[in-house]
Amino acid sequence: MANNSSVISGNFPVKRISKEVIIVQVLIGVFLSINFFLILTFFRNYGFYTSMRYILFAETLLSDCLFLILANITLILSYFGVTLPVWLCLILFVLSSLYSYVTPVTLTAMTLERFVAICMPLRHADLCTPHGALQLILIIHFISAVPCTINLAIFYSAASPTIYTQRAICHGEMFVLFTWQGHFRSAVSQLYFFIMFTIIVFSYIKIMKVAKTASGENKKSTWKGLRTVILHGFQLLLSLIQLWSVFIEAAALKVSLILYVNIRYINYVMFFLAPRCLSPLIYGLRDELFFKALKSYASCGFYKK
């Protein structure tokens, strides 16, 4: 980096973003506190352990917390111009890349769980078990690791063996050695999100058909499941916007460096940080059982039996 300037995930002058970095730290602190409270609520209620839906919800919370922590470590190191061995930067990059996919893939799995519960109710108890949820989490991590593994293989095959012992300021773009590699990475990401969005739209249509024919309590439950699928689609859309923001930033850079810095900061807060907390919080508040547990722990200091 020129003149050891600090970055959020690129080249940002220290003086230009000092206040913004403080704001980001406050936001990350608030978001992590909320997510940790939601996680604590899950682990303190044994009833949540028996439901695949809540287990997957806890998985998104843990994934988002890890992602926020890793992103913040990279931010702080970059801001202060701290250099690390490239092999350590590579580990941070691999973990960040992995958990950037885990949450949207888990959201897709949660949508399929709602699809099975509403459209295949007789098979829901057999398919969506706690043991099945643990197996599904392993599958989610395997699927999420594929893009990262491809990028890692490209870097390993092209980089010199001596590069791993060199020191550098960590950022994701340092592992993109070729222009086509960046395009390939973007194409893989868009393919993933296209498949996930297709699954959510398919589930929405199927649940909508069931909702039109349902009656009484079944109709109420079905429409609630439909709103849940819509929420998952919105969460996935925020992740997709985060992917497209790279192209918006590239266009802004051609216009003005100041415009580029401002747009990148806005994208970082709105589409990178906020969805990692606000969406899980909304999901937790709108779920009746989880909201009751949250309310109980928040008002009784975690000691109410």
Side-chain angles (χ1 to χ4, degrees):
M1 306 275 169
N3 299 325
N4 292 327
S5 54
S6 305
V7 295
I8 281 182
S9 287
N11 296 318
F12 290 156
V14 175
K15 293 182 180 179
R16 177 63 184 86
I17 63 165
S18 58
K19 293 181 180 179
E20 286 83 348
V21 169
I22 294 175
I23 293 174
V24 167
Q25 294 307 300
V26 172
L27 289 175
I28 290 179
V30 172
F31 293 162
L32 285 176
S33 298
I34 293 174
N35 280 6
F36 282 142
F37 182 60
L38 293 172
I39 292 170
L40 184 61
T41 301
F42 170 82
F43 282 111
R44 291 186 63 87
N45 194 316
Y46 180 76
F48 295 146
Y49 297 178
T50 60
S51 172
M52 175 180 281
R53 179 158 59 108
Y54 293 116
I55 293 174
L56 292 178
F57 177 53
E59 164 68 8
T60 63
L61 292 173
L62 291 170
S63 171
D64 287 339
C65 285
L66 285 172
F67 186 79
L68 285 173
I69 291 171
L70 291 169
N72 198 43
I73 289 174
T74 304
L75 167 66
I76 295 299
L77 293 176
S78 300
Y79 181 74
F80 289 105
V82 178
T83 60
L84 294 177
V86 172
W87 64 267
L88 187 54
C89 292
L90 187 61
I91 293 176
L92 291 174
F93 169 73
V94 168
L95 291 175
S96 298
S97 299
L98 172 64
Y99 285 101
S100 68
Y101 279 94
V102 166
T103 293
V105 174
T106 304
L107 290 174
T108 306
M110 293 172 71
T111 299
L112 289 175
E113 186 274 335
R114 288 293 84 197
F115 166 75
V116 173
I118 294 172
C119 299
M120 306 167 62
L122 298 180
R123 301 193 61 188
H124 182 261
D126 296 328
L127 294 176
C128 301
T129 62
H131 180 69
L134 297 179
Q135 293 178 330
L136 184 57
I137 288 173
L138 292 177
I139 295 174
I140 287 171
H141 278 75
F142 175 79
I143 294 174
S144 302
V146 172
C148 176
T149 303
I150 294 174
N151 290 325
L152 188 61
I154 295 173
F155 178 79
Y156 181 78
S157 63
S160 169
T162 59
I163 195 174
Y164 299 103
T165 58
Q166 297 177 11
R167 302 183 68 88
I169 296 177
C170 297
H171 60 94
E173 298 305 316
M174 67 186 294
F175 300 106
V176 178
L177 303 179
F178 310 103
T179 303
W180 63 265
Q181 184 184 354
H183 295 325
F184 178 77
R185 183 180 64 174
S186 177
V188 171
S189 299
Q190 294 190 53
L191 175 63
Y192 261 60
F193 283 100
F194 173 77
I195 293 173
M196 289 185 285
F197 209 78
T198 301
I199 292 174
I200 289 179
V201 171
F202 169 80
S203 301
Y204 175 85
I205 293 173
K206 290 294 184 180
I207 294 175
M208 175 68 79
K209 291 181 180 179
V210 174
K212 290 181 178 179
T213 59
S215 60
E217 287 298 320
N218 288 336
K219 189 177 186 67
K220 181 179 178 181
S221 176
T222 302
W223 281 103
K224 184 177 180 181
L226 192 63
R227 290 193 294 270
T228 300
V229 172
I230 294 174
L231 176 59
H232 292 334
F234 175 72
Q235 291 172 291
L236 195 62
L237 180 62
L238 291 177
S239 299
L240 189 59
I241 292 175
Q242 177 188 328
L243 175 67
W244 287 341
S245 65
V246 177
F247 302 105
I248 299 174
E249 292 165 7
L253 183 59
K254 296 179 181 179
V255 177
S256 167
L257 179 60
I258 295 178
L259 179 64
Y260 167 77
V261 170
N262 292 333
I263 289 179
R264 189 158 195 175
Y265 176 73
I266 292 172
N267 287 339
Y268 186 81
V269 173
M270 292 188 63
F271 304 119
F272 191 85
L273 296 182
R276 300 285 171 176
C277 170
L278 297 181
S279 295
L281 179 61
I282 293 171
Y283 186 87
L285 292 177
R286 67 181 300 274
D287 184 272
E288 185 176 352
L289 291 177
F290 206 89
F291 177 70
K292 286 182 178 179
L294 277 173
K295 187 177 179 180
S296 174
Y297 296 143
S299 60
C300 302
F302 307 100
Y303 292 108
K304 185 175 180 180
K305 298 295 183 181

